[in-house]
Amino acid sequence: MRRNPRSSAPAVYVTTRPTVPAGRVHGPLVVSMRAVPAALVDRAVEVTARYPTGHGAPVHVGDPAAIGISDLARPDFGPEPVVEEGDVPVFWACGVTPQLALPGCGAEYVFTHAAGHMVVLDHSVDAAAGAAPHG
């Protein structure tokens, strides 16, 4: 997967896809994008699908316009992506989604994460994927 050499963070976009409301909490799906060489897309999907409690499998592969992204060079958050000839845009659900949904719910206090630093409070990603936890 390609990344901008100036940042380890991916490009992040607000889509036109709504999330499924959970009571008062709702908002647009936010995705991170990594450009993946076409020959490696299936492998990227296979590997990331093993971690459904992390980002899991991509929510979309291919045409950004299909999820309401008009210009890959202009992310809503994060650095401009590096996309080379033969790359396919691959999009994963992003932890910024709740950060856009929570302000409208009226909660007095919430826990969330800082961009690029996921909060996991009760288990390890490896254990959730059925793998032996690391030390």
Side-chain angles (χ1 to χ4, degrees), residues 61-135:
V61 175
D63 184 10
I67 57 174
I69 298 169
S70 60
D71 186 356
L72 281 182
R74 298 185 57 148
D76 294 295
F77 308 98
E80 182 176 336
V82 174
V83 181
E84 296 183 7
E85 184 70 32
D87 285 352
V88 175
V90 181
F91 301 90
W92 282 268
C94 179
V96 175
T97 299
Q99 292 174 335
L100 293 186
L102 288 170
C105 80
E108 189 172 319
Y109 194 78
V110 298
F111 286 94
T112 186
H113 76 289
H117 304 281
M118 182 180 288
V119 170
V120 179
L121 302 173
D122 62 350
H123 65 273
S124 74
V125 172
D126 287 334
H134 296 285

